[in-house]
Amino acid sequence: MARPMTETILGIETSCDETAAAVVIGGRDIRSNIIATQIDLHAEFGGVVPEIAGRAHEQHITATVAAALDEARVSAAEIDAVAATVGPGLIGSLLVGVSAAKALALVWDVPFIGVNHLEAHFEAALLEDPTLDPPLLIILVSGGHTMLVAMDATRRFQLLGRTLDDAAGEAFDKVARYLELDFPGGPVIDRLAKSGDPTAVKFPRPMLRDGLDFSFSGVKTSVINHVRANPDYDVNDIAASFQAAVVDVLVTKARRAADQIGANGICLAGGVAANSALRAAVTEAGAADGRRVLLPRLDLCTDNAAMVAASGWWRLRSSGPDKLDAGADPRLKVNFVDDLGL
Ligand code: KG4
Ligand code: ZN
């Protein structure tokens, strides 16, 4: 018998530096989405410190889950399943969320679902508009990953392109660090770029004409070289010119990939999906190519648990619950299909 479409899922996300819990009904109806961020704890170190992250997750997990249930106005008895990110991520951080989710599933006698963090990011754009017909082209751009991914109607994924070195978010963070800006660097560069000239410095667009893979480490090095050679640089112009180079390559290749698979729409996923220039460029490309564009709401771009609950709902339907002895895997891969036949 088909499952009812209305399971109420508690999602938990602790893969990096956000302790998050959310209640989502039927894979799309977000009843709560609580995020306890640790950004201030890590800012002085210029990056996420794994030991500090794990300890902070332990301190915040109980209150965050309680707040998610409270805001959603659901009792424990109304939760049909508990989903948690099992990887990829920092092992000490992942284990806090996974252990909490398993303990709750055991006590409440409901299924536990282990969710892949990247698949959860893919789901975030669709949370707001599940009406869009696949195939879809997903641009996943986060601190750890940059991928072009095809998705079909049953949530199967094919990897079309990926970064060969730095992830897009990593490049933003490293450039910001070099410019002595705050951590995380992406939002700061985005803000400064608004007052800068994106054509001021023509940074390289690596591999623009070849294939669907990316390389961002060269752009970062060019920024560093330029700044060293021009000590009186204008930080707004540098931010805008660097951002323009990254966005140009991402969007050019995404359009190529979307054409290749005959995509009905383009979705943005991951923390860098919050970038205003990227959102504008993808929107413009969609309009030019006659393709719909799905941009996740800002609070659904960066790490959150609503996307984990939604992805868990799909996983529960497609492959059922996971065993309570399943562990966390810091290097968990997406279960990509070799060829979706698109
Ligand atoms: O997906 P996410 O929250 O964490 C993971 O990496 O899983 O992504 C974080 C990344 C960081 O590199 C951050 O600098 C970047 O997303 N980011 C941005 C913006 N907001 C966050 N990058 C560019 N522009 C933004 N507005
Ligand atoms: Zn993420």
Side-chain angles (χ1 to χ4, degrees):
M1 202 179 72
R3 282 178 185 280
M5 300 287 282
T6 53
E7 287 104 339
T8 300
I9 311 251
L10 170 67
I12 295 179
E13 155 65 40
T14 61
S15 67
C16 190
D17 59 344
E18 321 277 12
T19 314
V23 174
V24 178
I25 299 181
R28 64 170 74 161
D29 180 7
I30 303 174
R31 293 300 173 94
S32 63
N33 191 20
I34 307 291
I35 302 177
T37 184
Q38 310 173 1
I39 282 179
D40 291 348
L41 289 180
H42 302 284
E44 65 173 298
F45 302 100
V48 176
V49 183
E51 289 76 13
I52 295 178
R55 221 173 304 135
H57 284 306
E58 275 174 8
Q59 280 164 5
H60 294 299
I61 188 71
T62 308
T64 306
V65 168
L69 295 175
D70 200 38
E71 190 173 305
R73 295 179 186 279
V74 299
S75 66
E78 291 169 280
I79 297 293
D80 295 311
V82 184
T85 301
V86 292
L90 301 169
I91 186 66
S93 293
L94 288 166
L95 283 172
V96 176
V98 171
S99 311
K102 286 183 184 172
L104 291 172
L106 191 66
V107 172
W108 294 341
D109 194 22
V110 295
F112 161 73
I113 315 154
V115 168
N116 183 307
H117 182 75
L118 304 182
E119 290 181 19
H121 271 304
F122 300 160
E123 199 59 44
L126 292 153
L127 262 168
E128 287 176 276
D129 188 357
T131 63
L132 190 56
D133 278 339
L136 300 174
L137 189 272
I138 301 169
I139 311 172
L140 172 71
V141 271
S142 72
H145 299 87
T146 300
M147 297 176 180
L148 294 176
V149 173
M151 189 189 89
D152 76 0
T154 56
R155 271 22 179 207
R156 292 186 311 153
F157 305 103
Q158 180 186 342
L159 181 63
L160 302 169
R162 73 199 152 87
T163 182
L164 303 178
D165 42 55
D166 289 353
E170 190 181 357
F172 270 94
D173 293 340
K174 285 180 175 170
V175 164
R177 195 168 177 171
Y178 192 77
L179 298 175
E180 296 180 353
L181 305 173
D182 285 345
F183 169 83
V188 184
I189 289 188
D190 192 354
R191 182 163 42 78
L192 297 178
K194 291 195 169 79
S195 315
D197 174 5
T199 64
V201 188
K202 181 83 181 158
F203 290 123
R205 270 72 170 156
M207 301 167 63
L208 190 65
R209 270 170 255 292
D210 326 304
L212 297 176
D213 287 335
F214 302 97
S215 167
F216 291 113
S217 128
V219 190
K220 172 195 68 191
T221 308
S222 301
V223 175
I224 293 173
N225 290 340
H226 179 89
V227 165
R228 271 201 197 124
N230 301 274
D232 57 344
Y233 65 89
D234 179 314
V235 71
N236 296 339
D237 284 350
I238 298 294
S241 300
F242 161 72
Q243 182 173 273
V246 172
V247 168
D248 192 10
V249 190
L250 282 171
V251 176
T252 302
K253 300 217 173 198
R255 290 174 93 167
R256 192 176 296 155
D259 285 343
Q260 198 169 299
I261 61 163
N264 286 327
I266 298 189
C267 309
L268 272 180
V272 185
N275 184 266
S276 55
L278 181 59
R279 293 170 86 87
V282 172
T283 305
E284 208 174 290
D289 299 343
R291 260 192 200 103
R292 284 181 63 190
V293 165
L294 282 184
L295 307 177
R297 250 176 26 212
L298 290 187
D299 60 329
L300 295 176
C301 289
T302 42
D303 292 347
N304 66 86
M307 66 181 191
V308 174
S311 182
W313 182 83
W314 278 92
R315 283 288 313 278
L316 188 62
R317 298 181 69 76
S318 61
S319 47
D322 287 298
K323 293 204 175 81
L324 282 179
D325 61 1
D329 180 354
R331 278 175 293 279
L332 185 67
K333 299 272 183 281
V334 175
N335 197 6
F336 285 117
V337 171
D338 280 347
D339 187 355
L340 286 175
L342 298 170

